[in-house]
Amino acid sequence: MDDLIEFLSGIEIFSDLSDDWLMHLSQASELIEYKASEQVISTRDLYRYLWIVYRGKVDISGINQENARLFLTSLNAGDVLGELSVTFDKPVIDDITAAEDTSVIRLPKDVFSHVVAQNPSTLKKIACMATERQIQRGQNIPPRAGYRSRFTDNPDPYDLNFSSAKKQVKLLIINCGSSSLKYSLFDTSSPQPMFEGLIENIGAENSPHRLKTVTAKIQRSEVVKDIREAFSSMVNVLTGKAIGVITDFSEIQAVGHRVVHGGDKFSGSAVINDEVKDAIRQCVALAPLHNPYNLTGVEVMTELLPSAVSVAVFDTAFHQSMPHQAYTYALPYQLAEERHVRRYGFHGTNHHFVALMASVFVKRHVGNLRIISCHLGNGASVCAIERGRSIDTSMGLTPLEGLVMGTRCGDIDPGLVLYLLQNGDSADSLEKTLNKESGLKGTSGISNDMREILKAADEGNDKAEVALRMFCYRVRKYIGAYLAALGGVDILIFTGGIGENSSEIRARICQGLDSFGINLDTESNRMAKVQRGNIADISTEASRIRILVVAADEERMIAREIIRTVDTLRA
C-alpha cells in the first residue's frame, strides 16, 4: 500500500493531493497484470476507469477508414490512460495492448471523479493533460492516414441504443413509490421498451393499472392492497397469456432500480449488495418519502429474481461532480459535515440523458459542449452541464429548492420558515404547505396542472396569469445565472412534461433572452412535437445557442446504466 501511495504521489496530476486523498485513491485501485500482446483496454470499456501504467509498456492503436489497425504511440510506467474518457464522459476510441509483460493500475471513474471534484488543482491538471493529448493526436496522425472519428461515425457513441449489450438481454426497470409501482421491460435489441406498466393508488379500494405495449395501450382496475400485491400483479401481467411478453419471469437477467437519494456516497450507478442497501438506508433521513420505498422495491425484486443482478441508479449521482462552491451551504462547517447538509440535486438521470441525446443530435461530443437543461414538469429543475458534467443545479438538499413547481414553492427566504414557526405553524404543517400546497397550485388557486392554468389564464384569470409569470420568470432567471456560471452556452434544452409539450411556456421563458444569443423560432416552437427518442430544434438560424426540445426517458437511461455497470451483460 505504501509503495502504491508513493507511486501515485509521483504522478503529475496527483502531485498536489494530500496523503489522505492518496490513501483514498490507493485503496480504491486495483493492480492488474498483463502478458505481452494481451489487450488492456478496448472500446468495450465505456469510460469506467482511469488507467496508469505501473510497470512495463503499452501500445496504443486506432482504426483507419479501411478498418485496418493504425499504431499511434507507446506509453511507459507512470503514464496515464483513459483521461479523455473519464474527463469528458467519452467512450474509449483506441485499443491499448501490453507491449511486454506489464502491470497497470485500474482506478474506478467514480472514485477518480470524486477526488477531482474536491481538488481544483487536480481538475486543472487533468483538463490540461486531456487537452494536450487531443492536440498531440491531431499532430501525430497524418491527415491521409484516415484515422476514423468513432464519435462522428458511431451511430451510438454513448451506448444509448444498448449497442454494447449482448443481444436479447432482458432488463426490468423498477420505480417503486409509496403508493405506486412503475415498471418497464426492455429487450436490448431495441432502445424502446417492450412493455410498460403503472399501478397507482396502491392500498385504495381501486388501483388503476395502466399498461402499454409496442402496439396498444390498456387500462384496467384491480384491488391492490399493498406493494407486494403490486409486484405480484406486475409478474402476472408480464407473463400472462392475455398480454404477457415473456414466458417466464426468470428470463429477466437484470433489474435497474431508480433510487432518489444516494447522498454523497455515489457518483454513479452501483450493483446492489448489502453495503449499497445500507447506504440507501442511511439516506432515508434525506429522502423519507422516497428511499424507504425504493429499498422495498429492491428487497421484493431480490425475492422474485434471486439470480438476477440488481443495479441502483441514483437521481443524485450525476450532480456529484458539482464543485464545493456550488454544493456548499454557507452554514457552520461542523454542522454541515455532521448532518450531511449540502446541495445534492435531483433529476440527474434525465439531465444526463438529454445532454447525451443533444450531443448526438448536434454531432458534437458532449465533452466539448456547455449545456443548460430545463427539466420542467410537476417537479422541475435546471442543470448547468459543462463538458458532460453537472456543475450546478437548482434543487438542493431536497427537491424543494429552486424553481416554482406544481405544488412546491421553490426558492424562499429561510427566514420565512422561522417567521411561520414563531407564529404558530408546526413543522408538519409547514412541510405540507411548502411541498404540497404551494407552487402553481398555491399561487393560482386552481391546480398544479399547467394545462389547466394556461386555460384559466387565457380566460382572463389574473391569479393563473401571475402563476405563469412566476414560473417562467424563475426558469429564465436560472438560465441567466447558469449562462454566467458556464461562461457561455452552446445548447439550451427543454425536457419533462411541460418542457416537451407547452410551446407557450417555452416561448415565455425565452422571451427577452435574444441579447444572450437565444433566439426562438416561433413557428418551429409551435409545431414542435417530441416523443420518446425524438428531438426538435426550435432555434432560428441566427441563434448562437441551439434551443432543443428533447423527450425525457429515464427508463432508457437506467437500462443503459445497467449495461454499463454490469460487465457480464456486455458483448
Side-chain angles (χ1 to χ4, degrees):
M1 180 69 73
D2 290 341
D3 290 343
L4 186 55
I5 292 174
E6 183 177 355
F7 178 80
L8 291 174
S9 67
I11 306 298
E12 173 59 22
I13 60 171
F14 298 138
S15 59
D16 292 336
L17 292 179
S18 67
D19 290 344
D20 288 342
W21 283 117
L22 290 169
M23 174 68 77
H24 184 62
L25 287 175
S26 64
Q27 289 175 338
S29 298
E30 183 180 5
L31 190 63
I32 305 175
E33 303 284 343
Y34 294 93
K35 298 291 185 182
S37 300
E38 190 175 356
Q39 193 170 58
V40 178
I41 311 174
S42 74
T43 53
R44 289 173 55 193
D45 293 305
L46 298 173
Y47 39 87
R48 299 181 63 212
Y49 302 101
L50 184 77
W51 310 71
I52 306 167
V53 181
Y54 186 68
R55 177 181 56 83
K57 183 172 72 172
V58 299
D59 289 338
I60 301 177
S61 59
I63 303 293
N64 66 14
Q65 290 177 334
E66 286 74 37
N67 286 318
R69 189 168 299 283
L70 177 69
F71 173 79
L72 297 177
T73 189
S74 295
L75 297 178
N76 301 297
D79 286 329
V80 177
L81 312 169
E83 76 292 335
L84 292 172
S85 296
V86 298
T87 302
F88 299 142
D89 205 24
K90 180 177 182 178
V92 175
I93 63 171
D94 302 318
D95 289 323
I96 291 90
T97 306
E100 57 190 48
D101 289 354
T102 300
S103 301
V104 178
I105 297 170
R106 190 171 76 172
L107 180 63
K109 172 192 170 184
D110 293 348
V111 175
F112 172 73
S113 298
H114 177 67
V115 172
V116 167
Q118 308 303 318
N119 293 274
S121 63
T122 304
L123 174 60
K124 182 177 180 180
K125 288 181 178 180
I126 195 70
C128 289
M129 174 186 286
T131 302
E132 289 173 3
R133 287 276 176 87
Q134 286 181 311
I135 294 172
Q136 290 171 359
R137 172 172 279 117
Q139 293 173 341
N140 294 341
I141 300 171
R144 295 183 181 178
Y147 185 78
R148 183 173 65 195
S149 167
R150 293 190 187 171
F151 175 73
T152 56
D153 291 351
N154 187 347
D156 188 24
Y158 302 117
D159 213 31
L160 296 172
N161 296 325
F162 318 141
S163 54
S164 72
K166 292 179 179 179
K167 295 299 181 183
Q168 305 298 312
V169 176
K170 289 186 174 62
L171 311 173
L172 183 63
I173 313 304
I174 296 292
N175 184 351
C176 186
S178 59
S179 60
S180 66
L181 173 62
K182 186 178 182 180
Y183 60 95
S184 301
L185 181 66
F186 283 84
D187 181 322
T188 52
S189 61
S190 169
Q192 304 304 324
M194 301 169 61
F195 194 95
E196 298 173 274
L198 172 62
I199 305 174
E200 297 179 292
N201 297 334
I202 296 171
E205 292 182 2
N206 183 31
S207 301
H209 194 164
R210 296 183 177 88
L211 311 173
K212 183 179 179 182
T213 67
V214 175
T215 57
K217 292 183 179 180
I218 304 165
Q219 180 167 335
R220 64 188 197 184
S221 297
E222 54 191 279
V223 177
V224 181
K225 295 179 181 179
D226 55 33
I227 194 65
R228 289 187 176 274
E229 281 197 10
F231 276 95
S232 296
S233 178
M234 175 192 73
V235 174
N236 292 336
V237 166
L238 289 173
T239 59
K241 292 181 180 180
I243 310 172
V245 289
I246 53 177
T247 304
D248 192 281
F249 200 57
S250 62
E251 292 177 33
I252 297 167
Q253 293 170 261
V255 182
H257 293 269
R258 180 195 179 219
V259 180
V260 167
H261 218 305
D264 55 7
K265 300 178 185 297
F266 299 99
S267 56
S269 303
V271 174
I272 297 174
N273 54 26
D274 289 342
E275 184 179 353
V276 171
K277 285 192 283 188
D278 285 343
I280 295 172
R281 201 170 286 112
Q282 289 169 20
C283 292
V284 164
L286 296 172
L289 301 178
H290 299 93
N291 272 37
Y293 307 104
N294 300 158
L295 195 58
T296 297
V298 170
E299 292 169 344
V300 174
M301 283 306 305
T302 300
E303 296 173 10
L304 293 173
L305 286 175
S307 61
V309 63
S310 294
V311 174
V313 181
F314 301 93
D315 274 5
T316 51
F318 182 57
H319 303 300
Q320 281 296 297
S321 54
M322 289 193 297
H324 273 287
Q325 65 268 24
Y327 73 71
T328 303
Y329 289 115
L331 296 170
Y333 178 82
Q334 187 173 356
L335 181 152
E337 282 289 298
E338 289 178 354
R339 302 191 187 182
H340 303 284
V341 175
R342 51 160 287 176
R343 303 182 67 250
Y344 291 102
F346 301 88
H347 295 144
T349 302
N350 192 54
H351 283 306
H352 192 188
F353 173 77
V354 297
L356 297 180
M357 287 289 288
S359 166
V360 175
F361 182 80
V362 301
K363 295 182 172 59
R364 290 178 60 188
H365 197 279
V366 73
N368 299 319
L369 292 171
R370 296 163 299 176
I371 298 171
I372 295 177
S373 171
C374 302
H375 179 114
L376 308 179
N378 190 52
S381 67
V382 182
C383 183
I385 302 170
E386 183 177 47
R387 298 181 182 274
R389 296 174 181 274
S390 169
I391 65 160
D392 205 346
T393 190
S394 56
M395 286 180 168
L397 174 74
T398 73
L400 188 58
E401 184 181 353
L403 304 178
V404 172
M405 300 175 230
T407 61
R408 298 177 190 140
C409 61
D411 292 337
I412 58 171
D413 180 352
L416 171 62
V417 178
L418 299 176
Y419 171 80
L420 293 174
L421 285 171
Q422 291 165 354
N423 284 273
D425 286 84
S426 67
D428 287 343
S429 68
L430 273 181
E431 190 278 328
K432 183 179 179 182
T433 298
L434 300 179
N435 272 302
K436 299 179 181 179
E437 297 176 346
S438 298
L440 293 173
K441 179 182 178 181
T443 53
S444 71
I446 298 170
S447 170
N448 64 315
D449 190 320
M450 181 62 79
R451 293 166 295 189
E452 294 182 23
I453 295 173
L454 284 166
K455 182 176 182 293
D458 284 342
E459 294 171 350
N461 187 302
D462 291 339
K463 289 183 179 179
E465 181 60 32
V466 169
L468 288 178
R469 290 181 182 180
M470 289 176 63
F471 180 89
C472 295
Y473 174 73
R474 190 75 61 86
V475 177
R476 188 162 58 247
K477 186 165 71 168
Y478 266 98
I479 290 172
Y482 289 165
L483 272 163
L486 290 163
V489 171
D490 301 297
I491 299 174
L492 172 65
I493 296 173
F494 289 100
T495 185
I498 297 171
E500 295 167 26
N501 296 303
S502 179
S503 59
E504 180 173 345
I505 294 299
R506 295 193 298 261
R508 284 179 178 240
I509 289 170
C510 291
Q511 188 174 10
L513 296 178
D514 308 57
S515 60
F516 296 102
I518 297 174
N519 299 93
L520 186 77
D521 185 271
T522 303
E523 184 62 16
S524 297
N525 180 49
R526 186 180 68 82
M527 297 298 293
K529 303 292 181 186
V530 295
Q531 295 178 335
R532 178 178 278 149
N534 297 136
I535 294 179
D537 189 337
I538 58 173
S539 46
T540 65
E541 290 185 6
S543 182
R544 296 197 308 272
I545 296 172
R546 299 285 290 274
I547 310 169
L548 305 180
V549 183
V550 185
D553 199 344
E554 290 176 318
E555 289 75 23
R556 178 175 168 185
M557 191 63 171
I558 292 172
R560 178 253 198 186
E561 286 296 296
I562 297 172
I563 297 165
R564 291 183 68 241
T565 306
V566 183
D567 291 332
T568 56
L569 296 181
R570 296 202 303 275

